[in-house]
Amino acid sequence: DLLFQGFAGTNETFEVPSAISAESFASTGGGSFYFSGGELFEIENTSFHDSSSGSTPGGTISVLTNDPRYRTQLSINNSVITSSETSVLGGALYSFFSDVEITSLYINTEYVTSLLGDIVYNMGGNLECLSSCIPGSFGDCEVVDECWSCVPGACTLCGAGKYLPLSGAVEEAQCLDCPEGRYTPHYGLTACSVCKRGYYVTDDANDTSGIGLYSGGTHCVACPAGKFANVSSGSTSCDECSSGKTS
């Protein structure tokens, strides 16, 4: 295993090697990496195989804060843990009062184990797990304890009638329905368009009912003959024209 211990209170960043593929065993915790000392560490584009920490926590990675005034920080980006084990806590990752930010870490849960069942274990720290997907899309992810396991680079666009302004989404449920009076027929958008005056929002480009949708609209179509939209823009339906009037 590789031990990285910084000096509390400094801002230096350490970068770890980009490939860990050999079998490893740790006596201190962290089958491949053990981080402490109140520093900022980064792991990027790294593949971990056959890591084991034996009777210590963190089958692949352990992150510890020794001095609460200086929290150890770890950033993990676009990496994979294919097999890992520990007989205690954190089959893949053990974090103790530290700050861990993960962007697209895929964990093969079939071959990552711990005796107590926790694959990702976080005690007293801040843990954020995201995909690497851009706004308008979400990752191919699954829940793993308090975290998400995401396939690096695997993203799906939000569908028509939906939008997503933020990056890092991990599930389709984070795609938002276009709000009232807005629509989009396109995939992967970060915002919806306003339906113009005299038109209404619907989910059918050939709709002639004049009765539209309050959210999730995919099309903006003209009000049918004899009806009008009684707002300057963003209408969800059309009203009947008054007697003696037409549209």
Side-chain angles (χ1 to χ4, degrees):
D1 63 309
L2 301 180
L3 185 150
F4 291 81
Q5 185 163 3
F7 298 94
T10 66
N11 294 318
E12 187 174 359
T13 298
F14 293 82
E15 293 187 3
V16 303
S18 60
I20 303 295
S21 299
E23 183 175 350
S24 58
F25 179 87
S27 59
T28 56
S32 292
F33 288 119
Y34 176 91
F35 299 103
S36 67
E39 286 286 355
L40 170 62
F41 302 93
E42 296 181 354
I43 296 174
E44 187 168 347
N45 301 323
T46 302
S47 180
F48 298 93
H49 305 280
D50 300 322
S51 295
S52 173
S53 61
S55 60
T56 57
T60 298
I61 301 167
S62 281
V63 191
L64 279 77
T65 293
N66 301 317
D67 186 337
R69 296 174 300 171
Y70 308 108
R71 296 172 75 99
T72 302
Q73 302 171 65
L74 175 63
S75 173
I76 305 174
N77 300 301
N78 296 312
S79 296
V80 175
I81 298 176
T82 58
S83 53
S84 178
E85 65 178 1
T86 176
S87 62
V88 283
L89 296 169
L93 170 70
Y94 174 83
S95 175
F96 181 79
F97 287 92
S98 301
D99 297 334
V100 179
E101 182 178 288
I102 296 174
T103 303
S104 282
L105 171 65
Y106 175 71
I107 302 171
N108 186 347
T109 55
E110 184 177 357
Y111 297 105
V112 177
T113 62
S114 73
L115 183 64
L116 299 181
D118 298 282
I119 293 176
V120 175
Y121 184 83
N122 173 44
M123 176 182 287
N126 297 313
L127 175 64
E128 182 177 34
C129 301
L130 305 170
S131 73
S132 58
C133 299
I134 62 174
S137 63
F138 58 93
D140 180 5
C141 309
E142 65 175 353
V143 176
V144 177
D145 299 319
E146 299 179 46
C147 194
W148 289 84
S149 168
C150 299
V151 179
C155 301
T156 301
L157 298 178
C158 293
K162 295 182 179 292
Y163 73 106
L164 182 58
L166 303 177
S167 61
V170 295
E171 58 181 339
E172 187 176 8
Q174 290 177 265
C175 298
L176 305 172
D177 286 340
C178 289
E180 182 177 352
R182 294 176 180 266
Y183 74 102
T184 177
H186 305 296
Y187 284 60
L189 293 192
T190 60
C192 302
S193 302
V194 176
C195 190
K196 61 185 179 180
R197 186 173 185 176
Y199 288 65
Y200 67 102
V201 175
T202 178
D203 60 357
D204 181 359
N206 299 311
D207 189 358
T208 59
S209 68
I211 302 173
L213 300 174
Y214 282 97
S215 64
T218 58
H219 293 84
C220 177
V221 300
C223 288
K227 295 186 177 183
F228 72 105
N230 196 26
V231 292
S232 59
S233 64
S235 181
T236 58
S237 63
C238 303
D239 297 324
E240 295 285 349
C241 293
S242 302
S243 178
K245 295 185 178 181
T246 186
S247 64

